[in-house]
Amino acid sequence: MMKTILPGQTIGIIGGGQLGRMMAMAAKEAGFKIAVLDPSMDSPTGQVADTQLIAPYDDLEALEELAAVSDVITYEFENIDVEGLSHLCKIAYVPQGSELIRITQNRVYEKEEITKSGVQVANYITAENYAELIEKSLTIDYPFIVKTAKGGYDGKGQVTIRSENDLKLAEPLFANGVCVAEEFVNFTKEISVIIQRNGNGETALLPIGENVHKNHILHKTIVPARVDESTISKATDAAEKIAEHLGMVGTLAVEMFVLKNGDVIVNELAPRPHNSGHYSIEATNSSQFHQHIRAICGWPLRKPELWSETVMVNVLGQHVAPLASKIAHYPSWSIHLYGKEEAKHNRKMGHVTILTKDLAGTINEIEASGIWSDKLEEN
C-alpha cells in the first residue's frame, strides 16, 4: 500500500555517496529530515543529514535502528546487501522493495528480466566457469565482452575478447563466480533514459541524454541527445516497458546503445538516480532527485521540462585542481563538488553543468578549457 510521506517526517537513505547527498538536499528543500546509513564517518550524505548511522550495509542492528528513526527508506546505489534490505522491508516502509536490487545486482537476472519485458539486449551467453565459456564461445561472434555477473562498475570486472587467442584474459574473472559474455554492439551513440515511477503507477521521464565515456567512465552527457525522434520514441517505449514489467517505484536509469538504423539495444539498468541525470538539477523544472523523493513519498510526479540545451561534465580527482584554478573564467558554469575528502585519480568528485544556446560552441569550450585534457581514451 502506497503511503504519503509529508514534510517534517524522516527519509532514511542507505548509502552515503553523492547520489544520497543530492537526494537529501532535494528532500530538505521540501522540509524532510534525513537519516543515513553508511560505513564512512564523513560520507557526502552524512555531511547534510540530520542523523548518521555509521555501520556496514549488512549490519542488521544498524538497519533496525534506521527503521526506527525513518518514516520511509530508500537507497542511493545498488551494491547494498539484499538480505539486509529484505529484512528491512519486513519492519519498515521501503516502497522500492528488495526485488529490483536483487535483479540489478546480477547481470544474468537483469538480462532475463529485460528480455521478458519485450525489450532487446545484445546477444549473450552465460558461463559458470572458464571451461563453459570456452565451450559456449563457439555460439557467439567475436568480439565480445566478458563481464562478471555480480559487481563491477566503470569498466571494472570486464574484459574484451577479440579472438580465440584472447579467451585466457577472461579466466581470472571467474574467481568472482558466474560471468556473462555479450557480443559487441556496433553502435553510433550511447544514451540513457531515466524513468521515475510512484506507487500509483504514475511515471515521468527526463529528457534523454547522450553519453560520452572515457576509459569506461562517463565523461559528459549532452541533452537533448542528438538522435532522431524515432529513436527517442523507441527508447522511451523500451524504458516504459521495463519499468512496468518490474513494477518499480523510485528511479530507474536505462542505458542503451543506438544502432545505425536508429533502433536501440538496452545495455544495463541502474535502480537509482544516475550520473547522466545530474544535468536535471539546473536544466529542468524538477530534477531527478526531486522526482525520486516525490516518487518514494507517494507524491504526484511533475512532467519534466528542459529549460535549454545542456552539457554535464564529470569532475574526476585529476580535474579538481585545474577546475578550481579556472572557476573565475567561466561564470556560466554550475559547479557541484560532493564533499569527498581525497581527490583520487578517476574518482568522481563532482560535476559541472552548462546551460547553452550554442551546443557545439559549449562542447568546444569544455575541451579548450584544458581541465579535462588528461589524455583518456574515448569510447
Side-chain angles (χ1 to χ4, degrees):
M1 178 181 174
M2 192 71 188
K3 295 181 182 178
T4 301
I5 308 300
L6 299 174
Q9 293 185 280
T10 299
I11 298 172
I13 302 175
I14 304 173
Q18 63 264 24
L19 298 177
R21 180 189 181 93
M22 288 182 273
M23 271 186 210
M25 293 171 74
K28 280 183 165 290
E29 287 181 17
F32 291 102
K33 295 177 182 176
I34 299 296
V36 61
L37 171 64
D38 191 87
S40 303
M41 184 68 69
D42 188 37
S43 69
T45 311
Q47 293 166 13
V48 299
D50 300 281
T51 302
Q52 287 191 75
L53 301 173
I54 314 299
Y57 303 124
D58 59 355
D59 186 323
L60 292 183
E61 187 175 332
L63 287 167
E64 289 172 358
E65 189 175 349
L66 182 67
V69 299
S70 303
D71 297 289
V72 61
I73 294 175
T74 185
Y75 46 79
E76 64 111 32
F77 77 137
E78 57 268 45
N79 293 319
I80 58 177
D81 182 66
V82 173
E83 291 184 6
L85 186 60
S86 297
H87 174 70
L88 197 58
C89 290
K90 297 173 185 175
I91 61 172
Y93 180 48
V94 188
Q96 293 161 277
S98 60
E99 182 65 5
L100 187 56
I101 287 288
R102 186 191 70 83
I103 291 167
T104 54
Q105 277 187 355
N106 188 303
R107 289 188 172 94
V108 176
Y109 302 157
E110 183 174 277
K111 290 180 182 298
E112 289 173 349
E113 295 301 325
I114 293 169
T115 303
K116 286 177 185 176
S117 75
V119 174
Q120 186 179 3
V121 298
N123 291 333
Y124 74 98
I125 58 171
T126 63
E128 293 190 5
N129 51 55
Y130 181 59
E132 187 175 7
L133 174 67
I134 298 292
E135 179 184 345
K136 286 187 172 180
S137 66
L138 300 173
T139 65
I140 60 172
D141 295 330
Y142 293 99
F144 55 81
I145 303 170
V146 181
K147 302 178 180 179
T148 55
K150 299 190 75 173
Y153 63 94
D154 289 344
K156 299 177 178 67
Q158 64 182 55
V159 294
T160 300
I161 307 299
R162 302 189 182 280
S163 69
E164 185 178 352
N165 293 334
D166 289 340
L167 281 170
K168 60 184 178 295
L169 299 175
E171 188 170 8
L173 295 180
F174 288 93
N176 294 317
V178 176
C179 289
V180 173
E182 306 169 357
E183 282 187 9
F184 183 79
V185 176
N186 189 20
F187 60 90
T188 60
K189 292 184 187 297
E190 295 180 69
I191 61 174
S192 53
V193 184
I194 297 175
I195 184 167
Q196 298 179 296
R197 186 175 185 270
N198 65 20
N200 297 320
E202 179 187 2
T203 59
L205 287 85
L206 282 180
I208 295 174
E210 173 188 338
N211 299 325
V212 177
H213 291 80
K214 288 185 177 182
N215 247 19
H216 303 287
I217 301 172
L218 182 64
H219 170 48
K220 63 177 177 269
T221 297
I222 300 163
V223 190
R226 296 169 294 180
V227 296
D228 293 340
E229 281 301 318
S230 63
T231 297
I232 296 292
S233 178
K234 291 171 184 176
T236 298
D237 181 62
E240 289 175 339
K241 283 181 176 177
I242 294 168
E244 180 67 25
H245 172 71
L246 295 173
M248 52 81 62
V249 172
T251 303
L252 184 70
V254 186
E255 297 182 65
M256 306 182 189
F257 298 127
V258 179
L259 308 182
K260 289 181 180 178
N261 64 2
D263 287 348
V264 296
I265 288 179
V266 171
N267 179 31
E268 60 185 21
L269 309 177
R272 35 77 180 171
H274 194 258
N275 193 174
S276 64
H278 291 352
Y279 77 89
S280 62
I281 296 172
E282 282 85 18
T284 69
N285 61 331
S286 188
S287 78
Q288 65 170 339
F289 302 102
H290 290 91
Q291 292 277 61
H292 183 79
I293 296 302
R294 284 174 169 265
I296 64 164
C297 290
W299 291 20
L301 303 179
R302 298 184 71 181
K303 180 176 173 56
E305 296 179 17
L306 186 68
W307 300 132
S308 78
E309 293 182 318
T310 305
V311 183
M312 186 283 300
V313 197
N314 268 335
V315 176
L316 306 182
Q318 62 268 33
H319 307 141
V320 173
L323 175 65
S325 71
K326 297 185 178 183
I327 286 175
H329 301 294
Y330 301 101
S332 63
W333 291 11
S334 297
I335 296 169
H336 297 253
L337 293 174
Y338 302 147
K340 296 180 179 179
E341 187 175 354
E342 187 178 356
K344 296 178 182 177
H345 187 82
N346 283 354
R347 186 185 194 190
K348 291 176 183 175
M349 301 298 293
H351 69 270
V352 172
T353 302
I354 309 165
L355 278 62
T356 181
K357 294 180 180 178
D358 178 9
L359 193 56
T362 296
I363 292 171
N364 289 335
E365 177 184 73
I366 290 165
E367 300 310 316
S369 73
I371 295 167
W372 290 275
S373 61
D374 43 320
K375 309 300 182 186
L376 291 179
E377 202 173 301
E378 292 198 5
N379 60 56

